Amino acid sequence: MSGANVSKVSVPRRAARGRIDKRQAILDAAFLVFAREGYGRASIDAIADAASVAKPTVYNHFGGKEDLFQEAMAATAERSTARSLAVVAGLTGEVEDLAASLSDVGYRLLLCYSSDDAWALRRLLYAEIVRFPDLFDTVRGHGPRQVSEALADRLARLALAGRLRLTEPVRAAEQFVALLTGPAEGRAVLGTRVVPDDELRAIAEAAVDTFTRAFGVREGEG
């Protein structure tokens, strides 16, 4: 009797798990196809083939190409953001060498920023922002805004610990990110050029030098 009960429960769970996995496979495949073909040329047929599902299955999970595009963009932004948030979480108020710690965080944030998915996401955003005017807020809500807020929290902790002098941590976080991404974007030419590792480290170190000149605690202030 108990065995029958277990089977009745486990089958729906497996079905739900399978549906979630299939949905994720469609989202992953959709982003790859959109990144390769652009929104206009991408087709549901190509996405279904890339996801190894039937075309009707795509429509069962998503209303159509437009909805699928927006959800694929949001899902990719969220995944990219999770990597950046993990980097920011390593910055604590107990660091011994502040400049070295900020440089390490900056470098690893640049690695996230320079990933293939991140570049493809931004290129698609730039290309389709007129067609999808709400897309910027969607992607920003799943990406840069969260990273800036998390970084602002860490910078505020450093300020409370007497390691930085700042009164507006959100603005300071935005400026730190801009010091990193501005040079990286110019050198990468929208992701068409791979920026060597030593250049990324140099960008991070220069960003930290500028940042700490503005917000660092001067000698005798601690």
Side-chain angles (χ1 to χ4, degrees):
M1 185 68 176
S2 61
N5 289 336
V6 169
S7 64
K8 287 179 182 179
V9 172
S10 60
V11 171
R13 285 180 179 172
R14 287 198 298 270
R17 180 72 258 173
R19 181 174 177 80
I20 293 171
D21 291 344
K22 194 164 291 186
R23 179 183 176 84
Q24 188 60 54
I26 294 170
L27 285 172
D28 291 344
F31 184 77
L32 289 174
V33 173
F34 285 128
R36 184 181 68 232
E37 306 291 341
Y39 178 81
R41 294 179 58 187
S43 68
I44 295 297
D45 286 308
I47 291 168
D49 287 343
S52 299
V53 300
K55 185 176 178 179
T57 302
V58 177
Y59 286 109
N60 286 340
H61 285 270
F62 304 94
K65 180 178 171 180
E66 181 175 325
D67 289 343
L68 178 54
F69 175 70
Q70 296 193 72
E71 292 207 39
M73 291 285 282
T76 303
E78 189 171 349
R79 184 168 59 245
S80 180
T81 297
R83 293 193 292 266
S84 295
L85 290 176
V87 171
V88 172
L91 186 62
T92 68
E94 290 80 28
V95 296
E96 292 186 11
D97 189 329
L98 179 61
S101 296
L102 286 173
S103 293
D104 180 63
V105 167
Y107 165 69
R108 290 192 288 138
L109 283 176
L110 282 173
L111 290 179
C112 298
Y113 182 83
S114 302
S115 70
D116 290 341
D117 278 359
W119 276 120
L121 184 72
R122 290 194 293 277
R123 285 196 297 266
L124 279 169
L125 179 61
Y126 300 154
E128 303 300 337
I129 193 63
V130 174
R131 192 195 306 260
F132 299 99
D134 295 333
L135 192 59
F136 179 82
D137 288 336
T138 298
V139 171
R140 181 168 173 75
H142 287 86
R145 183 181 300 147
Q146 290 188 46
V147 176
S148 290
E149 289 173 353
L151 181 57
D153 174 73
R154 296 294 166 165
L155 295 179
R157 297 186 190 192
L158 286 166
L160 287 173
R163 307 302 301 277
L164 291 173
R165 50 183 185 85
L166 51 86
T167 56
E168 298 183 64
V170 172
R171 179 176 296 181
E174 291 173 345
Q175 291 173 346
F176 183 63
V177 171
L179 288 168
L180 292 169
T181 58
E185 183 153 346
R187 297 187 192 195
V189 195
L190 295 181
T192 59
R193 172 182 177 267
V194 176
V195 181
D197 194 72
D198 60 339
E199 285 190 39
L200 293 179
R201 290 186 182 278
I203 290 171
E205 289 173 4
V208 170
D209 181 63
T210 300
F211 184 81
T212 53
R213 286 176 185 271
F215 299 107
V217 175
R218 297 186 179 92
E219 189 175 348
E221 288 184 335

